[in-house]
C-alpha cells in the first residue's frame, strides 16, 4: 500500500481510513502485532501529507509491543530495525521514543 501511495498520492486518504480501522483491530489482538510495523511506516511516510496525527500508532508501538512481545525474536529484530531506520524522525517528533529507548539514540 505504501508503494502504491508513493506512486499516486490520491490513494493516501483512502488508505488512511482503512489503516485506522486496522489499527483498532491490532490494538485489541496482539497476535496481529506484525502488521503494526508496516502500518507505522506508512503513517511515517504519509501522515504529514494527509495532516494526520500518528501519535497513537507510535505510542502503541513503543509501549505495549516491546513490553508484551519481547520474546518473539523476529518481531524484536524487525522492531529494532524499524527504530534504527527511522531514529532521526522519532527523536525529533515522538516523545515516547526518547523516553522508552534512550539507548537507540
Amino acid at each position: 500500500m505504501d508503494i502504491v501511495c508513493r506512486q499516486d498520492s490520491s490513494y493516501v486518504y483512502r488508505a488512511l481510513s482503512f489503516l485506522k480501522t486496522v489499527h483498532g483491530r491490532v490494538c485489541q489482538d496482539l497476535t496481529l502485532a506484525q502488521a503494526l510495523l508496516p502500518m507505522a511506516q506508512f503513517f511515517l511516510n504519509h501522515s504529514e501529507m494527509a495532516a494526520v496525527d500518528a501519535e497513537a500508532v507510535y505510542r502503541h508501538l513503543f509501549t505495549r509491543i516491546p513490553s508484551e512481545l519481547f520474546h518473539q525474536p523476529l518481531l524484536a529484530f524487525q522492531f529494532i530495525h524499524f527504530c534504527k531506520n527511522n531514529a532521526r524522525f522519532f527523536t525529533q517528533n515522538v516523545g515516547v521514543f526518547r523516553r522508552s529507548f534512550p539507548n537507540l539514540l
Side-chain angles (χ1 to χ4, degrees):
M1 194 177 313
D2 193 31
I3 294 170
V4 170
C5 290
R6 284 183 191 175
Q7 298 295 322
D8 185 358
S9 61
S10 67
Y11 287 106
V12 170
Y13 301 102
R14 288 183 254 172
L16 283 173
S17 64
F18 170 74
L19 287 176
K20 286 181 184 181
T21 303
V22 172
H23 180 256
R25 289 189 182 173
V26 170
C27 287
Q28 296 171 357
D29 186 3
L30 285 179
T31 60
L32 302 173
Q34 292 282 143
L36 196 58
L37 290 172
M39 192 179 323
Q41 187 67 52
F42 182 87
F43 277 104
L44 185 73
N45 295 341
H46 302 287
S47 63
E48 187 176 303
M49 183 181 83
V52 173
D53 184 22
E55 186 71 27
V57 175
Y58 301 138
R59 191 177 328 109
H60 183 245
L61 179 67
F62 294 131
T63 56
R64 193 166 176 210
I65 299 302
S67 66
E68 296 183 23
L69 298 173
F70 65 92
H71 60 279
Q72 294 183 7
L74 181 59
L75 182 60
F77 174 77
Q78 291 173 338
F79 180 81
I80 296 298
H81 185 66
F82 173 78
C83 290
K84 295 290 274 182
N85 286 343
N86 299 301
R88 176 176 281 154
F89 173 83
F90 292 139
T91 55
Q92 295 172 355
N93 300 310
V94 182
V96 71
F97 180 77
R98 289 187 302 271
R99 289 187 305 272
S100 299
F101 302 98
N103 293 341
L104 292 178
L105 299 178

